[in-house]
Amino acid sequence: MKAVVCKDAELAVAERPDPVPGEGQLLVDVLRCGICGSDLHARHQADELADVAAEIGYEGGMRSDQEVVLGHEFCGEIVDHGPGCRASSPTGTPVVALPLVRHGGEVHPIGLSAAAPGAYAERLVVQEALALPVPNGLRPDVAALTEPLAVAWHAVRRSDVKRRTVAVVVGCGPIGLGVILMLKARGVRHVVASDFSPGRRALAERCGADLVVDPGVDSPYAGDHGHLTNAPDAFDLALDTVDRLRRQPVPWWHVWRAAEALGAGPKSPVVFECVGVPGVIDDIIASVPLFSRVVVVGVCMGADQIRPALAINKEIELRFVLGYTPPEFRETLHMLADGKVDPSPLLTGVVGLEGVEGAFGALGEADEHAKILIDPKRPDAELPA
Ligand SMILES: [Zn+2]
């Protein structure tokens, strides 16, 4: 079969042996596979990523000198069942799958390890237990977005955002756009999107952002939302509140505690960091209102600097999120199939295997592209205009 192989930061179309499904595994014919920001990182910073994985005990991350088939955001059709499969979905069933596979007793991330070839290929092997049939005749283009949108759904769920919370999305690449879609699906009323690129701002608007801001011109944290933006206001509020409560016949600290238990207190936004370059987290800490929660979704490689004293003075909460749980993955697939989320603004191009190199170039420049899909059966090397 044909596959795109990554080695020494080079991408090349190559002939590879047809994969063989092992115990409890499916052989899947790839219909679509998304190109992820992680793939762009993996191509050029594989060793750095592998070192981070090794620090948490996983030694199988791809290394730059290995031959790796990338691709973890895929939709395909079952062509064969390995031994010991339950075979609840027959051959020909379109499926998506969580990108983890067990080889030789060890579980590897599909498309990010030499031990688990990904879906930049005509076929790949997935774990039957982690595969889900695509419902409602959902198009493969859309089904392939299950994985990246599950990442966004996980970020939104882990953020504990409420419908009335102001949500600010910093960075409108594929992850930021996914977060906007999922915030709106969750019913969050006021979603602000911020990006320097006019192309990405236009996509953010199409994804349902209520306010789209060019951070070079306006602050995404402006507006009258009742947020505390400076220390003097916080001091005034504390003193005035105690003063007011002391005029009541009940002890003021009981009333304060009761109000606290009911969720009263200074309002603050939830901010999603979806850029992942050095300096962004500190810039967010410096610009957000007091008591903001910052959910870090963007992956910044290497070291970064923040000013903890500034974060402490504003009581900023930092929360880092990764991936998704199996139920979140399934839920995302069904939100797509039920039409609760329309990701069509995200889909900006489809290429054949020969077009992957060019697609990486286009995504590196970022501006008008969000998600480019690979269709291994497509002969054309060029991105459609
Ligand atoms: Zn990804």
Side-chain angles (χ1 to χ4, degrees), residues 44-380:
H44 293 289
Q45 294 161 295
D47 296 309
E48 235 178 296
L49 283 165
D51 288 342
V52 173
E55 268 197 67
I56 53 169
Y58 175 66
E59 301 287 346
M62 68 181 270
R63 295 279 169 188
S64 54
D65 60 352
Q66 293 174 321
E67 222 180 67
V68 176
V69 181
L70 298 168
H72 57 271
E73 309 176 351
F74 52 86
C75 168
E77 235 172 54
I78 301 176
V79 286
D80 199 6
H81 297 79
C85 275
R86 278 177 286 263
S88 46
S89 298
T91 301
T93 306
V95 290
V96 293
L98 276 85
L100 287 175
V101 70
R102 183 175 274 139
H103 290 301
E106 211 184 325
V107 178
H108 299 279
I110 289 178
L112 291 168
S113 167
Y120 287 19
E122 291 180 292
R123 279 175 287 285
L124 87 159
V125 159
V126 304
Q127 212 64 40
E128 186 192 38
L130 297 179
L132 299 164
V134 175
N136 292 356
L138 186 65
R139 285 163 44 212
D141 302 58
V142 179
L145 296 175
T146 303
E147 203 278 346
L149 287 174
V151 171
W153 183 231
H154 177 70
V156 167
R157 292 192 72 241
R158 287 281 292 126
S159 76
D160 288 322
V161 68
K162 303 281 182 288
R163 285 171 190 219
R164 290 168 185 276
T165 313
V166 173
V168 180
V169 180
V170 177
C172 300
I175 292 287
L177 295 172
V179 168
I180 295 167
L181 285 171
M182 290 315 207
L183 284 166
K184 292 316 287 182
R186 182 109 187 177
V188 175
R189 293 194 194 158
H190 197 67
V191 177
V192 182
S194 170
D195 200 297
F196 287 104
S197 145
R200 291 183 160 195
R201 288 201 300 275
L203 291 175
E205 206 169 317
R206 289 181 55 210
C207 286
D210 300 285
L211 178 67
V212 178
V213 170
D214 175 355
V217 179
D218 294 304
S219 165
Y221 313 105
D224 187 17
H225 303 297
H227 298 152
L228 284 168
T229 55
N230 58 67
D233 285 354
F235 298 153
D236 275 336
L237 179 68
L239 200 150
D240 291 348
T241 307
V242 175
D243 216 23
R244 207 154 24 84
L245 295 179
R246 274 183 179 276
R247 278 179 238 134
Q248 307 300 322
V250 271
W252 62 269
W253 56 94
H254 287 318
V255 183
W256 184 298
R257 284 270 190 261
E260 221 173 38
L262 292 170
K267 284 192 221 154
S268 56
V270 172
V271 181
F272 294 85
E273 196 283 86
C274 303
V275 180
V277 302
V280 173
I281 297 175
D282 193 68
D283 185 57
I284 289 174
I285 290 170
S287 325
V288 291
L290 275 56
F291 308 112
S292 294
R293 178 178 304 143
V294 181
V295 179
V296 182
V297 201
V299 182
C300 171
M301 294 303 297
D304 193 10
Q305 274 195 327
I306 63 163
R307 287 166 289 169
L310 183 58
I312 282 180
N313 271 275
K314 299 174 78 171
E315 198 161 284
I316 302 303
E317 185 190 348
L318 275 183
R319 219 174 253 200
F320 293 82
V321 297
L322 170 76
Y324 37 78
T325 63
E328 285 167 344
F329 189 91
R330 183 187 172 277
E331 221 172 345
T332 304
L333 173 64
H334 284 265
M335 284 161 91
L336 289 168
D338 297 344
K340 288 186 185 134
V341 176
D342 172 17
S344 46
L346 251 66
L347 292 167
T348 55
V350 183
V351 293
L353 294 173
E354 299 285 350
V356 172
E357 170 80 65
F360 267 57
L363 288 167
E365 286 153 34
D367 205 51
E368 81 264 37
H369 278 292
K371 187 58 74 180
I372 298 177
L373 299 178
I374 300 166
D375 173 359
K377 292 187 180 64
R378 192 175 292 234
D380 38 318

Side-chain angles (χ1 to χ4, degrees), residues 25-38:
Q25 295 175 344
L26 305 172
L27 181 65
V28 168
D29 199 49
V30 178
L31 296 171
R32 294 288 187 280
C33 177
I35 298 176
C36 175
S38 308

